Amino acid sequence: MLLSIISSSAISSSAISMITSPGLPQYGASVAVGLITLLSLKEVLSASEYWNKYLNSSFNLAIVPLLLSFMGIVVFKVVEII
């Protein structure tokens, strides 16, 4: 009984791992849209009178992780093609 449970769970986990991809590329579209939106807002707001160094650092705080994720997705897709 215990052996059949262990073997069935091992089979199902190996089947799942064969069809799923790592977590980063599945959110690629939302990362790209968020990055484009934040970069656009930063560009527009930098020309306004409300722009200051605190707003700049807030935008950078949100843009840098999205940019790193986007670069990771691009690298993953290139490696996937090669």
Side-chain angles (χ1 to χ4, degrees):
M1 174 77 173
L2 182 61
L3 185 60
S4 65
I5 293 172
I6 292 172
S7 65
S8 67
S9 68
I11 292 170
S12 65
S13 67
S14 66
I16 290 172
S17 67
M18 291 172 68
I19 59 173
T20 57
S21 63
L24 197 58
Q26 66 188 359
Y27 299 110
S30 60
V31 168
V33 168
L35 184 61
I36 290 170
T37 303
L38 285 174
L39 287 172
S40 303
L41 280 171
K42 184 177 178 180
E43 188 67 29
V44 169
L45 287 175
S46 67
S48 75
E49 62 187 34
Y50 300 111
W51 189 254
N52 57 26
K53 66 178 182 177
Y54 302 113
L55 193 57
N56 185 30
S57 64
S58 296
F59 271 103
N60 287 339
L61 191 66
I63 288 172
V64 169
L66 286 175
L67 189 61
L68 292 174
S69 297
F70 182 74
M71 289 187 323
I73 291 167
V74 168
V75 167
F76 178 81
K77 292 293 186 180
V78 168
V79 169
E80 188 178 60
I81 291 172
I82 295 175

